[in-house]
Amino acid sequence: MSDTHIKQSEHSTQGKLSFDDFRAIVMADYRLAVMSRFVSLLGRKEVLTGKAKFGVFGDGKELAQIAMAKVFQLGDWRSGYYRDQTFMFASGIVSVYQFFSQLYAHPDVEADPSSAGRQMNSHFATRMLTPEGKWVDQTLMKNSAADISTTGGQMPRLLGFGLASKLYRDNPELAGMSTFSNNGNEVAFGTVGNASTSEGVFLEAVNAAGVRQIPTVISIWDDGYGISVANDIQTTKADISEVLKGFQRDENGAGYEIFKVKGWDYPGLCETYEQAAAISREHHIPVLIHVTEMTQPQGHSSSGSHERYKSQERLAWEQEYDCIVKMRAWMIESGIANENELADIERSAKESVRAEQKRAWADYNATLKKESDEAIALLAAITDDTVQILLNELKSLTEASLREVYSTVRRVIRVLRGKQSDEKTALLAWYAQRQQINADRYNTYLFSDTIESPKHVAVVSPEYGAASPVVDGREVLNACFDANFARDARLVAFGEDVGKIGDVNQGFAGLQAKYGERRIFDTGIRESAIIGQGMGLAMRGLRPIAEIQYLDYLVYGLTVLTDDVASLSYRTKGGQKAPLIIRTRGHRLEGIWHSGSPMSMILGSMRGIHVCVPRNMTQAAGMYNTLLRGDEPALVIECLNGYRLKERMPANVGEFTVPLGKAEVVKEGNDVTVVSYGSTLRVVQEASAELEKLGISIEIIDPQTLQPFDEEHRCAQSLSKTNRLLVVDEDVPGGASAFILQQVLEVQNGYYHLDGQPRTLTAKAHRPPYGSDGDYFSKPSADDVIETVYAIMHEANPAKYPALFD
């Protein structure tokens, strides 16, 4: 491990620069540090005076981030967290005006390119898509993934950003993708707080990067605390670089180059980052930089005071070792600047920040004032005493928020119920038009919704001939993957056991030998790293299929899926996308840990990811063909008990497509509409034969995807014929079945077609016991389906269908 606490008289570039040039660089860096510090101080005041809702800032981290920005080149990637404002200013990715616009939640992508007001301040992102949803040239940009608040959550995707460089350098087939990489020379820079190094996602990512020798430079900003919890409670030996010494590369094997440097040592920081970036960029070696003795002058955020948990001795030390204070003293001692020159810089920097803050606030208020003035004018034209009272309340507000404007308008609309006038008509028209604008501001881009979307992929039916062989379902999947890997060099697949043995169910059997270890490869047991790696690769132009071996284990990668992948398009307002496919298998098997169907967890936490639930491997193959031609993330859940069931092999196995959101009527019937998917759909099909013998004809509908769900409303169309509804799935009671009921009864207005109570048939609330008997008594069986459908018909016509158990 390298200790680069270098004497302050040393600097790696002094031999290359004249003193005047060196002095100019240092002066500019000092101005930037002061400017960023004043942004933090002023930002906190804006929160405390009520202009902004919440604030989190990067004070105390300025010098290290300036040093990092010096070596951050075009094409490089940042995966950081919400303390990196100085780096963003220094790299030119974000301006002070844009910082304050985000602080005020300005809902305009020009004012806040990172999120259009959707994310709290210090959550940065670069816009890497055209308005049509196509990729821009990433090699001409300094790239930053959209930040998330979950500490440590930025680490998994860092793996993919760095691994992409390795794949672009090592795979000649990708040479033509010059808008994503310059021969793999890009470095992925990660930043993380010292407390977050205690998290599993950090350690997973660090281990994975070391195993694959991924070109990453990971900076740990160590200010001694995680909110109020000190390092001696967070970390063994109270020192993360001591903990990670075993990762140091040496004669025993490849690993990390680890540096340790103090956060107030400007020359040492500059030299450290110069060395670290060169090692990682040239040799694809992961580097970890532990930046110690940092401070946090304003505490964790605007919601609390660090004086509550720091001792007076610690607070005094932080004042003495404040990085800007130390740099200022060093500049004077070294003859780089005098007191007056530095005072002028400080005054100028503060004036500049203040001017940009005022401009951001004025522009934000101009947006609000325009709508407020329009609303006030419309309300003033209405002759009604109550309306005038509400109007006066609105006018009395000094700076009305959009919430206050539209809440007043909606109250007026309720006051005017049953009354008609031209003035009310004008108000309603204005409100409807503004609702469209507000929907665009706050509710769009859950998915990319561009011409690249999978919903625009042409529907191609599977083709069969007289000689089409009947094979195991796994062979259909294998042929599908083979055809797609031959078609598109961007495809990569990885996960536990995916490479050498071709996954535990043989979907990739033989394909690593055919396409090589760069494209199809094994990983360790690290679900969050697998998902994050796939996300990063997808954002760098590759088409990854990340496998989670069993659906039950998806929960170990859930934070990456729900906090990062699912919300990426939304939280950047269409500025970023990650067309990642997550492949897994679940539903019907035996045993507590291999038979889960946690669909309600998935549906509730992964909005922004398509959820595909094919009933067989042919349907799964068609879905993969669709998704690989689109640009949106998706989860495909294959049926665990379907790999060896026989299916016909389509002649166009790599070309036919299954559209998303299009339900299929698997069997027509007249008495009861039964909606099911995945493995339970086959159970319903089995039950239908005996129900026919009992004189009951069911119509079976397979939604095929749960997100999106039955966009053509085939469920409601069926219900208009049968007037009776049963939903069958193997999630817990009130899980996915409740979601399906909401879609059918509320979204599709199926409620109005009902002649009886809608029913659900689900698994029991507990996990299934081991063994076939445990499965039978815990999850819906054909007997359960038959008896439930029969009970529905008994309720409708007791004479024709007498009770079974009376």
Side-chain angles (χ1 to χ4, degrees), residues 38-53 55 57 100 103-104 298 302 350 354 357:
F38 190 61
V39 165
S40 298
L41 296 171
L42 184 55
R44 184 180 179 90
K45 289 180 181 178
E46 294 298 275
V47 175
L48 297 179
T49 58
K51 288 183 178 179
K53 195 76 174 177
F57 306 101
F100 279 103
L103 181 68
Y104 301 135
Q298 296 189 105
S302 60
K350 291 178 181 179
R354 175 68 76 180
Q357 173 266 320

Side-chain angles (χ1 to χ4, degrees), residues 380-439:
I382 298 172
T383 305
D384 183 279
D385 291 344
T386 304
V387 171
Q388 292 307 304
I389 292 171
L390 295 173
L391 171 61
N392 289 333
E393 290 177 0
L394 180 60
K395 290 167 68 175
S396 69
L397 299 173
T398 305
E399 292 162 336
S401 67
L402 291 180
R403 172 180 174 273
E404 290 163 330
V405 170
Y406 287 100
S407 179
T408 300
V409 169
R410 294 169 78 175
R411 290 170 68 189
V412 167
I413 290 171
R414 294 195 293 272
V415 167
L416 297 178
R417 66 192 184 281
K419 300 178 182 178
Q420 299 300 323
S421 68
D422 292 342
E423 293 77 14
K424 177 185 176 182
T425 299
L427 178 66
L428 290 173
W430 177 85
Y431 177 72
Q433 185 259 342
R434 298 312 302 183
Q435 284 302 94
Q436 293 179 6
I437 293 172
N438 285 325

Side-chain angles (χ1 to χ4, degrees), residues 360-506:
W361 179 247
D363 288 353
Y364 172 64
N365 271 289
T367 299
L368 303 188
K369 190 173 186 308
K370 179 178 183 297
E371 290 177 52
S372 179
D373 288 348
E374 289 175 354
I376 286 171
L378 289 163
L379 297 179
I382 298 172
T383 305
D384 183 279
D385 291 344
T386 304
V387 171
Q388 292 307 304
I389 292 171
L390 295 173
L391 171 61
N392 289 333
E393 290 177 0
L394 180 60
K395 290 167 68 175
S396 69
L397 299 173
T398 305
E399 292 162 336
S401 67
L402 291 180
R403 172 180 174 273
E404 290 163 330
V405 170
Y406 287 100
S407 179
T408 300
V409 169
R410 294 169 78 175
R411 290 170 68 189
V412 167
I413 290 171
R414 294 195 293 272
V415 167
L416 297 178
R417 66 192 184 281
K419 300 178 182 178
Q420 299 300 323
S421 68
D422 292 342
E423 293 77 14
K424 177 185 176 182
T425 299
L427 178 66
L428 290 173
W430 177 85
Y431 177 72
Q433 185 259 342
R434 298 312 302 183
Q435 284 302 94
Q436 293 179 6
I437 293 172
N438 285 325
D440 175 70
R441 285 172 172 165
Y442 301 110
N443 309 122
T444 50
Y445 289 102
L446 183 61
F447 291 96
S448 68
D449 293 329
T450 69
I451 57 174
E452 302 286 314
S453 168
K455 69 182 180 183
H456 298 306
V457 173
V459 178
V460 178
S461 299
E463 297 174 359
Y464 300 97
S468 294
V470 176
V471 298
D472 288 348
R474 62 183 176 82
E475 296 180 67
V476 176
L477 273 182
N478 186 267
C480 168
F481 291 138
D482 189 3
N484 278 289
F485 271 74
R487 175 183 63 85
D488 191 343
R490 299 175 301 163
L491 266 63
V492 292
F494 50 88
E496 300 160 22
D497 303 303
V498 171
K500 185 174 291 186
I501 68 170
D503 85 49
V504 291
N505 294 104
Q506 300 291 281

